[in-house]
Amino acid sequence: MQDINRLKSLNFFSLVWICFLVYSPFMYGQTEADTIETGIRSGTLDNGMRYLIHSKAAWEGQNVSMNLYVNTGYEMEQEGQTHLAHYLEHLPFAIYLDEATAKGGALLEAVRSGKYPWQGYTNVRHTCYLFLFDTVGSEIYTAELDLLSRIIGGSLKPTPENLAAEHGSFYQEYIHRNGHLGYDEERLFWNLSKVYAPAVRPEHYFDHVKGFNRDAVSSFYNDWYHPQRATLMMVGPITDLDRAAQDMESYFGKLKATPAKKLVYPKLEYLQRPNQFIQLEQLETDEPELSETKIDLYWRNRIPPKAEPKALQQKWMYEMLYALIGDHLPQIPTTYKLHYTLGVDKSGELPALGLNLKTFTGRERGAVEEVATALNQLKKQGVDQAAYQKYRQRELNAIDQRDNNTLGAVLSTYDQRMLAEESLEFDQLALKKRWLNGLSYDTVNSELKAFLRDGPQDIGILAPKGAAVLNLNEAEFRSWLDQAKLGVGTEANEELKTKLISDSLLARLPRVPSRDLGNDTLGGQLIQLTNGARVVLYPQEGAPLKLHGFRNAGASNLNKEDFIRAQLVPEWVHTSGAGAYTHFEMQRMLTNLGMIYGRALYVNQEESGIKLQAPAERIEALLQLAHLYLSAPREDPEAFTYWKEDEFLFYKNPPYGREEHDLTVLSKNVLKEVNPGLTAEERYKAVQLSTMTELKEIYQSLFQHPQEFLFLLSGDFSETEVIPLLETYLGNLRVSENQVKREEKVVSYLPKGPLKKTFRIPGILPSDLNLRLQYSYPIARDDWKAQVNLKLMREVINNRLWELRHVKKRGLYIVHVVSNSNIDMQRGNLVITLPTVVGMEQMLISDVEELVSWFKEHPISESELNAIKSRFYLMGITGKSIIDKGYRYYKWDLQLPDPEAVRAYLEVVSPGDIQSFIQEKLVPEHRYIFMGKGVPEVSN
């Protein structure tokens, strides 16, 4: 067999846009093979197509991956073709599912069971189709080979129905990925790069996608999809390597090497351009009070050498420089006077290091100068030697610890080299290890200083209309970078601190006595401190530390105004910092200690608490941090102003997007759920009306009553070590005079269905609609079997919901079901999410009702149910950790089932049982339909 020809080595970094077309994870099932061969077959067919087949006996029991890489992607798109490469990637899967549905049998069964999920993704220069199978020669195997041969053989024939349906699903993917919010930034990037096709305005995007008709798709397909542009990899436990190699010839060898467009390398042209200074005005928005400016700075790489070993060494050097620079720069401000975020772009969309700065309009200079100060320090002094050695050792350890025998590691290596257009046979790891061992600290600093000194070559500014920064010329802006003072605001050489509480304060925290209350049912040791706080210890050898403290008093124990403000308290405390440390100082310190820095406090309607994690060696730091958060939040007017500004950013972009966030909150309110949260607008208004005094009083009412707190502590510690620390830090928690109301708990009842509600939500485009179909019904918190049944129903519905997209061709992208058991409300929820366009709602509601009705009349097959059982997530029922189990035990006197009991129950559940569950629970009186629509007068 002829070796695969060496691939070109130019593009080192690739931004991968993954489009998951099936939502279940990869499942590895046992093969029926008698003998697994070990070896490699590789070659280049007469038409130029390359293949590589790799098998090892050690991989027995796992599926075989069959991945097709076609040398086309976003770089090949011309004006008018924006995202056409990605759209074309969707079509083969639509055809595959059409054929599976028509043919039935093993192919359809595999699709429905999720046994062989497939993926596709579009890269800068490659489009990838990823399939799985179990045995060479099987029906699944031959169907996949047949499809792949048509993809690169010029005979892919999507129907008009396929094209139209994918217009809808592709548009919904664009909305799901918040593409409509990123237009301005895409426009700025296009002006800087000119590497990809220009961005399309959001209000024109759907029409743009509808222009992907047969002619447009055929033109792009015929230009770029050819055998000589394709590489097929088959990696896994293969029983007959020679048969697999023969199949390469049988399925692909007769395809003609058709004329193809010449490959282009726009990134090479980018590296040769003069410096660029681009200023763009943002689209007009109706956002209140504050606005943001975005500044992009790019330091270009040098043109890579042609020899692959040299090119690889240059690639590794840039990877190191990017990491060292990113670690050195302050990615949030060092003081409350500034307000910015700094992202380090290592994506590879451009062969350059990008610094992406966002700050409030009018404060650009201060933010730029603070970042430039750190850069100027690097340019003059170089990177700290300890930081360099840490990076170098981490890379060496990664090479030494890499297991090149596992299937996942081999697949990952092949994938990385394909996308980087590097040789598959080259032993990169050995070369990289020699390069790292021969590298010197002085060489790295020399390269780093030269790299920074040459740039930034490209500057892009995106600001609102009328912003002063848009009136600057290039020399004026660059003076901000050059005039920043050296050494201000950098802490690169700061000594590592391991104590969060000073010795002087520690002297005022005496050890207080504790009482041993014995062991609980779960084996934890329960102790009580003098101030009334109780602590349960769950030692676990080798485990990291976890602390969860909670109290049965929350927002609902306050008046109506404070009910909303209470939900703001955790973020205010997080932003203000605690003890002697600001938010920024706390972040640096905890990061240096290897501790997770995030919002520690939480407030629910009926509960307040704290959650912390740390490495096992940081037990004292963990308890010191708990003491500070529960006793000494900082009161700082500058921090308070900073927090209010930060909340403006939340208002603009709440978690998961404003439309999804708000619809979830509003629907939970209708169903009278505990802890529905606040809509983005509710939260923003409450923030603006709050004062620091009000929030402090609420904080004291909820968090400074240790006598009502129970703390659960797990991890690798000894009781003799931890008890003195508990007596010092938790035993000295402050007690406040501010109290909460102690009224009788109001019982909330689930409104009877069927029920339908529509909400107008800012952020949703007028053409779009978020559809949420929900079934909710009572489940007792100790009825774990009913909770298992709910999860099984979820999997059954989810396995067929894809038919709405691919069989009924409803133009959907997000098609999934989630389920949860609300232990607090003693309620089970099954939610079907279908983002779509206005006008499709009634059709989709009918589709779901029809699907549920079908399951009421037809039991699923045994094989489909067995596949569902094989991937059932047991810990969702049995508890994810001892802390999770302890919380439920002390909160509700609830003991979670043993995993073996759950497995035994799953074993006896039959298809008929599933049918009965659906008949009983998924009924109209349990059905609730919620729709989020855009606000008509808001135009994008």
Side-chain angles (χ1 to χ4, degrees):
M1 290 286 178
Q2 180 182 353
D3 286 340
I4 294 180
N5 295 329
R6 175 169 294 180
L7 300 174
K8 295 174 182 172
S9 54
L10 177 64
N11 296 309
F12 297 139
F13 306 100
S14 299
L15 174 67
V16 179
W17 288 11
I18 297 181
C19 167
F20 288 98
L21 298 176
V22 170
Y23 299 101
S24 52
F26 284 94
M27 300 299 299
Y28 295 109
Q30 187 71 24
T31 70
E32 299 178 358
D34 295 323
T35 304
I36 305 297
E37 292 191 40
T38 291
I40 294 178
R41 303 286 188 275
S42 64
T44 302
L45 302 175
D46 291 342
N47 55 24
M49 177 184 162
R50 294 162 295 183
Y51 68 87
L52 184 145
I53 305 166
H54 189 171
S55 177
K56 281 189 178 183
W59 299 337
E60 185 172 4
Q62 302 181 69
N63 285 325
V64 184
S65 292
M66 182 153 57
N67 302 342
L68 177 71
Y69 296 83
V70 183
N71 202 176
T72 182
Y74 294 111
E75 281 190 8
M76 286 69 174
E77 295 169 346
Q78 303 299 311
E79 188 164 358
Q81 295 182 330
T82 304
H83 299 159
L84 181 53
H86 185 186
Y87 174 82
L88 182 52
E89 171 229 306
H90 281 219
L91 295 176
F93 297 102
I95 293 170
Y96 182 73
L97 288 167
D98 279 353
E99 293 171 352
T101 304
K103 187 173 182 180
L107 190 58
L108 182 59
E109 185 70 22
V111 170
R112 285 178 170 171
S113 68
K115 187 177 181 182
Y116 306 112
W118 58 92
Q119 294 179 8
Y121 63 82
T122 304
N123 181 268
V124 173
R125 298 184 60 79
H126 286 85
T127 301
C128 311
Y129 301 92
L130 316 177
F131 289 87
L132 296 172
F133 66 89
D134 56 358
T135 308
V136 170
S138 67
E139 183 179 344
I140 306 295
Y141 168 81
T142 56
E144 291 171 357
L145 278 179
D146 177 69
L147 177 67
L148 296 179
S149 69
R150 283 182 282 154
I151 289 175
I152 62 164
S155 57
L156 192 70
K157 304 293 182 185
T159 65
E161 292 78 14
N162 290 137
L163 294 171
E166 287 307 314
H167 290 156
S169 63
F170 195 77
Y171 176 66
Q172 286 305 314
E173 180 177 359
Y174 168 78
I175 296 298
H176 172 68
R177 299 185 185 280
N178 289 323
H180 60 303
L181 300 178
Y183 169 71
D184 270 336
E185 295 184 13
E186 284 187 29
R187 196 161 55 97
L188 177 62
F189 180 77
W190 181 81
N191 275 276
L192 284 170
S193 70
K194 299 294 197 314
V195 170
Y196 311 104
V200 178
R201 289 179 68 104
E203 64 268 33
H204 300 155
Y205 192 82
F206 200 8
D207 288 335
H208 167 72
V209 172
K210 289 176 182 176
F212 295 164
N213 55 29
R214 182 184 292 275
D215 290 342
V217 170
S218 296
S219 174
F220 190 86
Y221 177 61
N222 292 332
D223 282 345
W224 301 109
Y225 277 71
H226 301 273
Q228 64 269 35
R229 294 272 169 78
T231 300
L232 183 68
M233 286 191 209
M234 196 181 296
V235 183
I238 299 169
T239 56
D240 191 337
L241 280 167
D242 291 331
R243 161 77 187 275
Q246 290 167 7
D247 286 337
M248 296 300 101
E249 184 67 47
S250 301
Y251 281 88
F252 302 99
K254 297 176 184 178
L255 301 176
K256 294 182 179 179
T258 47
K261 253 192 173 183
K262 184 179 180 180
L263 284 173
V264 292
Y265 295 92
K267 289 183 181 178
L268 184 58
E269 184 274 329
Y270 163 78
L271 291 174
Q272 298 169 326
R273 281 187 213 154
N275 290 357
Q276 301 179 109
F277 182 70
I278 307 292
Q279 293 162 299
L280 290 180
E281 189 178 288
Q282 294 173 2
L283 292 180
E284 291 188 22
T285 66
D286 62 343
E287 300 294 358
E289 299 178 30
L290 296 171
S291 58
E292 282 189 293
T293 295
K294 184 175 191 290
I295 299 173
D296 290 343
L297 308 173
Y298 283 94
W299 280 257
R300 298 181 197 168
N301 301 349
R302 295 192 303 271
I303 295 174
K306 292 183 179 180
E308 185 166 21
K310 293 290 185 184
L312 284 169
Q313 290 173 23
Q314 188 191 86
K315 166 192 167 180
W316 298 328
M317 177 61 78
Y318 281 130
E319 287 176 346
M320 180 182 291
L321 298 184
Y322 287 12
L324 294 174
I325 293 169
D327 289 344
H328 180 84
L329 296 180
Q331 297 189 17
I332 61 171
T334 55
T335 73
Y336 291 109
K337 294 179 181 178
L338 297 174
H339 203 141
Y340 68 81
T341 57
L342 178 70
V344 181
D345 179 9
K346 307 173 187 176
S347 66
E349 287 189 279
L350 288 176
L353 169 68
L355 300 183
N356 308 130
L357 183 71
K358 278 189 177 181
T359 186
F360 287 118
T361 304
R363 305 188 205 173
E364 296 92 348
R365 180 166 188 163
V368 169
E369 287 186 344
E370 180 159 301
V371 173
T373 294
L375 287 169
N376 289 338
Q377 184 192 45
L378 281 177
K379 278 194 280 189
K380 184 172 182 180
Q381 300 175 0
V383 72
D384 182 65
Q385 186 163 10
Y388 158 70
Q389 292 295 352
K390 181 179 178 182
Y391 177 90
R392 177 179 169 276
Q393 194 57 52
R394 185 171 69 238
E395 292 296 299
L396 287 169
N397 290 343
I399 293 172
D400 292 338
Q401 295 167 11
R402 187 179 181 91
D403 186 353
N404 292 314
N405 292 314
T406 63
L407 180 54
V410 171
L411 276 171
S412 175
T413 298
Y414 282 146
D415 187 67
Q416 290 168 12
R417 294 185 183 181
M418 279 299 305
L419 299 182
E421 299 187 352
E422 297 166 355
S423 299
L424 297 176
E425 312 89 344
F426 203 80
D427 188 357
Q428 289 191 18
L429 294 180
L431 177 63
K432 185 173 184 179
K433 188 171 183 178
R434 286 197 301 273
W435 176 76
L436 284 168
N437 284 326
L439 202 58
S440 73
Y441 169 63
D442 289 340
T443 299
V444 171
N445 263 334
S446 238
E447 291 284 342
L448 182 140
K449 292 175 184 179
F451 177 68
L452 290 176
R453 199 164 43 243
D454 290 343
Q457 289 87 349
D458 304 304
I459 300 171
I461 301 172
L462 178 69
K465 183 178 180 180
V469 73
L470 293 177
N471 297 321
L472 293 176
N473 60 40
E474 182 174 358
E476 289 170 329
F477 182 87
R478 286 187 179 274
S479 73
W480 295 359
L481 297 170
D482 298 334
Q483 293 173 11
K485 294 180 180 179
L486 175 64
V488 178
T490 60
E491 289 80 17
N493 298 314
E494 186 180 74
E495 184 180 349
L496 177 64
K497 297 178 182 178
T498 58
K499 287 187 176 181
L500 294 164
I501 296 179
S502 65
D503 290 337
S504 59
L505 178 57
L506 191 57
R508 300 198 297 271
L509 298 178
R511 279 185 60 182
V512 296
S514 62
R515 285 194 304 139
D516 187 346
L517 301 182
N519 290 349
D520 66 16
T521 305
L522 302 177
Q525 180 186 359
L526 178 61
I527 66 172
Q528 187 167 37
L529 304 171
T530 300
N531 59 10
R534 293 176 299 154
V535 185
V536 189
L537 305 178
Y538 297 109
Q540 293 181 304
E541 188 175 350
L545 302 168
K546 291 185 179 181
L547 178 72
H548 181 189
F550 65 95
R551 174 195 183 203
N552 289 323
S556 61
N557 297 103
L558 305 170
N559 60 42
K560 184 177 180 181
E561 291 77 15
D562 288 347
F563 171 84
I564 292 179
R565 293 190 186 106
Q567 298 175 66
L568 309 178
V569 165
E571 193 64 41
W572 165 63
V573 173
H574 175 68
T575 305
S576 298
Y581 301 105
T582 67
H583 165 65
F584 315 108
E585 293 165 341
M586 187 74 79
Q587 182 187 48
R588 287 196 299 274
M589 182 174 294
L590 295 185
T591 300
N592 288 338
L593 292 173
M595 297 172 66
I596 294 174
Y597 179 70
R599 191 175 62 195
L601 304 183
Y602 68 89
V603 175
N604 294 332
Q605 280 194 14
E606 299 169 355
E607 181 180 302
S608 307
I610 182 170
K611 293 182 179 180
L612 296 171
Q613 295 185 48
E617 66 272 16
R618 300 299 183 197
I619 181 65
E620 184 165 12
L622 178 82
L623 295 174
Q624 287 181 345
L625 188 60
H627 176 87
L628 292 177
Y629 274 132
L630 296 174
S631 294
R634 290 182 70 254
E635 298 174 54
D636 182 342
E638 284 189 346
F640 191 73
T641 301
Y642 185 97
W643 166 69
K644 284 197 168 188
E645 293 174 345
D646 221 35
E647 288 286 348
F648 166 74
L649 303 179
F650 179 95
Y651 172 75
K652 286 179 62 178
N653 295 299
Y656 316 113
R658 184 187 298 180
E659 57 277 13
E660 185 176 340
H661 173 85
D662 282 4
L663 183 58
T664 300
V665 170
L666 293 166
S667 61
K668 285 183 175 182
N669 278 325
V670 171
L671 297 179
K672 303 184 186 305
E673 288 199 19
V674 177
N675 310 317
L678 302 172
T679 66
E681 188 170 6
E682 284 175 332
R683 185 178 181 93
Y684 181 71
K685 288 180 178 178
V687 167
Q688 302 313 307
L689 296 173
S690 296
T691 67
M692 187 162 54
T693 300
E694 291 168 338
L695 295 185
K696 178 184 176 181
E697 290 176 354
I698 293 170
Y699 163 83
Q700 291 172 338
S701 298
L702 295 176
F703 291 99
Q704 292 195 337
H705 291 276
Q707 70 276 15
E708 296 183 25
F709 266 82
L710 174 75
F711 294 91
L712 307 170
L713 178 63
S714 70
D716 193 345
F717 57 80
S718 68
E719 294 169 5
T720 54
E721 169 198 21
V722 79
I723 288 178
L725 298 175
L726 293 170
E727 292 173 339
T728 300
Y729 299 117
L730 299 189
N732 282 286
L733 293 177
R734 294 179 184 175
V735 179
S736 171
E737 295 179 357
N738 291 331
Q739 299 291 333
V740 296
K741 295 183 296 182
R742 291 296 184 183
E743 298 178 355
E744 186 176 345
K745 184 176 177 181
V746 177
V747 179
S748 296
Y749 294 97
L750 182 66
K752 186 176 180 181
L755 183 149
K756 184 188 292 187
K757 292 279 289 186
T758 301
F759 305 101
R760 295 288 183 182
I761 299 176
I764 298 180
L765 295 177
S767 59
D768 301 332
L769 180 140
N770 277 24
L771 179 60
R772 179 186 179 103
L773 294 92
Q774 180 166 338
Y775 290 89
S776 295
Y777 57 88
I779 291 182
R781 63 173 60 103
D782 60 352
D783 189 354
W784 62 264
K785 292 182 180 179
Q787 295 166 29
V788 171
N789 299 343
L790 173 63
K791 290 181 177 292
L792 291 173
M793 285 191 290
R794 179 258 174 202
E795 288 294 326
V796 168
I797 299 295
N798 202 46
N799 272 4
R800 296 291 178 87
L801 205 58
W802 64 269
E803 294 179 0
L804 272 64
R805 175 179 177 182
H806 293 290
V807 178
K808 294 203 170 189
K809 296 183 171 34
R810 300 303 194 205
L812 298 168
Y813 174 69
I814 296 296
V815 185
H816 66 215
V817 190
V818 296
S819 65
N820 66 80
S821 298
N822 188 324
I823 304 299
D824 207 342
M825 297 290 295
Q826 302 197 78
R827 184 185 296 175
N829 301 305
L830 186 147
V831 182
I832 300 170
T833 304
L834 300 170
T836 183
V837 292
V838 173
M840 283 293 294
E841 55 267 35
Q842 193 52 53
M843 184 179 294
L844 291 172
I845 291 169
S846 298
D847 286 341
V848 172
E849 290 175 352
E850 179 184 316
L851 180 63
V852 171
S853 296
W854 189 92
F855 281 117
K856 290 179 179 178
E857 298 170 6
H858 304 87
I860 63 172
S861 67
E862 285 281 358
S863 59
E864 191 171 345
L865 179 56
N866 288 337
I868 289 171
K869 290 179 180 179
S870 71
R871 59 176 182 261
F872 189 88
Y873 183 57
L874 285 178
M875 286 196 294
I877 302 295
T878 62
K880 300 175 184 177
S881 67
I882 187 62
I883 290 283
D884 188 18
K885 294 176 181 179
Y887 173 74
R888 299 193 189 198
Y889 174 72
Y890 284 97
K891 180 75 174 179
W892 296 295
D893 193 25
L894 179 65
Q895 293 193 50
L896 297 177
D898 184 80
E900 290 307 314
V902 179
R903 291 190 186 95
Y905 176 70
L906 280 172
E907 187 69 29
V908 300
V909 173
S910 68
D913 293 329
I914 300 290
Q915 185 181 16
S916 297
F917 302 153
I918 293 174
Q919 290 170 345
E920 178 185 351
K921 302 300 182 184
L922 305 191
V923 294
E925 53 265 37
H926 294 161
R927 187 178 67 234
Y928 307 88
I929 298 171
F930 302 104
M931 289 176 282
K933 291 187 175 182
V935 180
E937 63 270 21
V938 175
S939 171
N940 284 277

